[in-house]
Amino acid sequence: VKSIRGEIIRLGGQGLFETKMERVVLRQGRVQAVKSSAGEIPTQVLVLAIGHSARDTFEQLCADGVFLEPKPFSVGVRIEQRQSVIDAGLYGKQAGHPALPKGEYQLSWRDEQGRGVYTFCMCPGGYVVASSSEEETVVTNGMSEYARDGENANAALVVSVDASDFGSGVLDGVAFQRRLERGAFALGGGDWKAPCQLVGDFLAGRETTALGEIEPTFSNGCRPADLREILPDAIYESLKEGLAAFGRKLAGFDRPDAVLTGCETRSSSPVRILRDEAGRSISMAGLYPAGEGAGYAGGILSAAADGIKAVEKWLDTL
């Protein structure tokens, strides 16, 4: 990233740190400038590469008449197992051999209601980290250090949701995320700890009162709880079905002592900023929505590729 920034500067660009984009300035339906905390920046072309959690920008764009629509996304929990258990499930008796990498998995299932249940962002030898972007919310994410030498493996375990779950309003998906995140904050005790539950208790429908051998890695600490208190019934039932299915696919995945930490809500953007075939907003001339926040990508690589395509679309107009 530092090298990319250096190349931009070499070519005449500029990077503004600790600078907030406050709004897009429009005149007659066209981009004229960006108002920022460092002042107004005149421009007629804006590549809007916001992330999937830029809720204040979504709200401002709606207020300015930019066309957005709600889109499906996924919510759920983080699951942690011992990395040794995952290795054994994948490699069998060869687990632990120095020539083998840390075990990784990517699992998917469609439940009886037709919902997608899947894992993503699997972090071998990794940690569950706090990812909140607003006050009094708990949001989980995961990471691995370069050596991948942590004791636990973790991954997002999520269920697809759509307008039937959260409503058809443009920002109803954002409101749905917030309800889950604020519920997790309260269930965790209101001090930024995350609520967690053993898989065995989750499947049995009982509250976790004490943890087992697996030490949760969530960066702010965990508090044993009953995640059913914050998860909608449909999501809870889908997660139960997915856990059982994944346990059949990967031995040890659904061990009773595995830990579920809530909640995982930022799988992808809950909105899409509508654009035409030329990559431009259909309601604001000069605006090129790109990446995850625009609703056209679902990860680091796809977001980067979408950003490249946005600039190529603009270059085609010159």
Side-chain angles (χ1 to χ4, degrees), residues 83-262:
Q83 182 65 49
S84 58
V85 169
I86 299 302
D87 291 345
L90 291 170
Y91 299 136
K93 64 181 182 180
Q94 299 300 326
H97 192 286
L100 291 172
K102 298 291 184 181
E104 299 183 58
Y105 57 77
Q106 185 173 351
L107 304 167
S108 62
W109 178 259
R110 192 161 294 278
D111 67 13
E112 292 181 355
Q113 289 72 45
R115 290 182 185 272
V117 186
Y118 62 97
T119 66
F120 81 104
C121 188
M122 194 270 163
C123 305
Y127 308 90
V128 181
V129 296
S131 237
S132 301
S133 60
E134 295 181 335
E135 294 285 339
E136 297 185 352
T137 59
V138 166
V139 181
T140 60
N141 204 336
M143 60 162 282
S144 297
E145 294 179 341
Y146 180 79
R148 295 183 165 189
D149 57 357
E151 189 171 283
N152 294 352
N154 77 78
L157 174 64
V158 294
V159 178
S160 59
V161 293
D162 57 27
S164 65
D165 298 290
F166 51 76
S168 57
V170 172
L171 298 177
D172 284 354
V174 173
F176 180 75
Q177 290 175 325
R178 280 184 173 137
R179 286 196 298 272
L180 290 174
E181 295 162 10
R182 289 171 178 167
F185 180 83
L187 189 59
D191 57 358
W192 303 101
K193 288 185 173 65
C196 68
Q197 189 171 14
L198 297 181
V199 164
D201 292 335
F202 186 85
L203 294 175
R206 60 175 177 256
E207 180 181 0
T208 291
T209 56
L211 299 175
E213 294 183 359
I214 296 178
E215 183 71 27
T217 60
F218 184 70
S219 49
N220 289 339
C222 287
R223 178 169 281 113
D226 185 349
L227 294 173
R228 290 179 303 166
E229 293 187 26
I230 59 172
L231 294 173
D233 290 343
I235 305 302
Y236 169 67
E237 293 298 331
S238 294
L239 288 173
K240 280 180 62 178
E241 192 174 326
L243 278 165
F246 298 157
R248 294 190 294 269
K249 291 183 176 184
L250 176 58
F253 182 90
D254 60 344
R255 277 179 50 147
D257 62 347
V259 177
L260 303 174
T261 305

